Amino acid sequence: MPVTLPWRRPARATAPGAVPAAGAWDRWRGAVAAATAMFCVGTLTAVAPVLHRYPLYGGQALRYALGALVLLAVMRARRLPHLRLGGRELALVVLLAGTGLAAFNAFVVESTRHADPAAVGTVVAAVPVVLALAGPLLERRRPSPRVVLAAGVVAAGAAVAAGFGGGSPLGLLLAAGALGCEVAFSLLAVPLLPRLGAVRVAAYTTVAAVPLLLAMGYAADGPAALRVPAVAEAAALGYLALVVTAFAFFCWYDALHRLGADRAGLFSGFLPAGAVVAGLLLGTGTPAVAELAGTAIVAAGLALGLRGR
């Protein structure tokens, strides 16, 4: 008797640039990769306080430089040859690095100057909704009503976990810029993944982000943008480079190729879970009732969005 597996879809023709049809095992693997990536990125908030005294953009440039070295070493170990990028691919890589990495950091920092961090987090929590709508349109198919509904539930859960804050219109506008950059981090990678693969996309993007962040750092802090980090700062930068950049970026792009932007976007709701667990392990915070309630709502949205037809 045949067994119906989760996320089994009827076969369909794929449009240019679309995510190819995948079996149930690929979708399970994509789900694990997406959850792992977002969980790792969520731990950033527990590690970031160590770097409060280090110049922001210079620190991010070091983080991505170290992450790029790790990813390039992985390419070498796996014997993945470098591919010559066409003009369109090169433009997408530079645009991806400029928006999803460099500009995202700038928008987040500037938005927190004019709005409560919780308000910024609430705006960025709308990422699953935007990806649920824009991802399928990019693949030339209609958005799934179930996934759109689930994305709304996940976004609501993430907003509850982050807390509803306040701020000026300028702060919320800058937060919307961060939201756009976070969406670009996924959507701009979709056309690159079929030929380049997850490792190359992550490596080339982080390489391209380094000079952009160095330029931003020099504009903001001058020669003081870079200095020798203290021991704790070096450990934090190493963690960000290895786990939050190299490992998480690879996992995310691997999941994006297997699940599509709409379903992968649902796993953005794992960000608060990573922050809560990391805070507990490092002793920098304990989960509040809102965070636990938000995590439960996120789990319900994931269950809804990942159910097979």
Side-chain angles (χ1 to χ4, degrees):
M1 181 176 181
V3 178
T4 301
L5 295 173
W7 308 327
R8 176 78 73 181
R9 292 185 182 182
R12 67 171 185 271
T14 54
V19 176
W25 167 246
D26 275 345
R27 296 190 182 281
W28 280 110
R29 179 174 169 179
V32 172
T36 302
M38 291 296 102
F39 184 91
C40 290
V41 173
T43 64
L44 170 66
T45 58
V47 179
V50 180
L51 297 171
H52 278 174
R53 295 180 180 273
Y54 198 91
L56 173 67
Y57 300 114
Q60 293 299 312
L62 283 177
R63 163 196 172 182
Y64 289 125
L66 291 172
L69 289 175
V70 172
L71 288 164
L72 291 173
V74 171
M75 286 182 57
R76 184 180 181 86
R78 295 179 60 179
R79 298 182 179 179
L80 293 176
H82 289 281
L83 298 181
R84 183 172 182 176
L85 300 181
R88 179 172 177 268
E89 290 174 326
L90 180 60
L92 284 172
V93 167
V94 173
L95 189 59
L96 175 55
T99 56
L101 278 66
F104 176 77
N105 287 282
F107 275 121
V108 168
V109 171
E110 293 303 322
S111 63
T112 54
R113 299 182 193 275
H114 303 279
D116 188 278
V120 177
T122 302
V123 173
V124 177
V127 165
V129 178
V130 180
L131 289 179
L133 293 171
L137 295 178
L138 185 66
E139 298 170 10
R140 301 180 185 179
R141 59 183 174 88
R142 291 185 301 174
S144 164
R146 180 194 298 276
V147 175
V148 173
L149 176 61
V153 175
V154 169
V160 169
F164 294 94
S168 67
L170 176 59
L172 297 178
L173 183 63
L174 291 169
L179 168 64
C181 290
E182 184 69 7
V183 171
F185 180 74
S186 296
L187 295 185
L188 291 175
V190 170
L192 296 169
L193 288 168
R195 190 174 87 92
L196 300 183
V199 178
R200 290 191 188 91
V201 171
Y204 295 169
T205 303
T206 50
V207 168
V210 174
L212 297 175
L213 284 161
L214 286 175
M216 293 167 66
Y218 188 82
D221 303 308
L226 287 175
R227 63 169 173 81
V228 178
V231 175
E233 292 172 335
L237 287 171
Y239 176 83
L240 294 181
L242 290 172
V243 178
V244 183
T245 301
F247 180 63
F249 281 19
F250 165 73
C251 287
W252 181 250
Y253 286 141
D254 186 58
L256 196 65
H257 188 53
R258 296 176 187 278
L259 296 178
D262 50 351
R263 279 185 166 80
L266 297 176
F267 289 88
S268 298
F270 270 78
L271 282 164
V276 168
V277 172
L280 285 173
L281 292 177
L282 297 177
T284 57
T286 55
V289 174
E291 291 172 324
L292 296 176
T295 301
I297 296 173
V298 166
L302 287 171
L304 173 64
L306 298 177
R307 286 180 57 192
R309 292 183 181 179

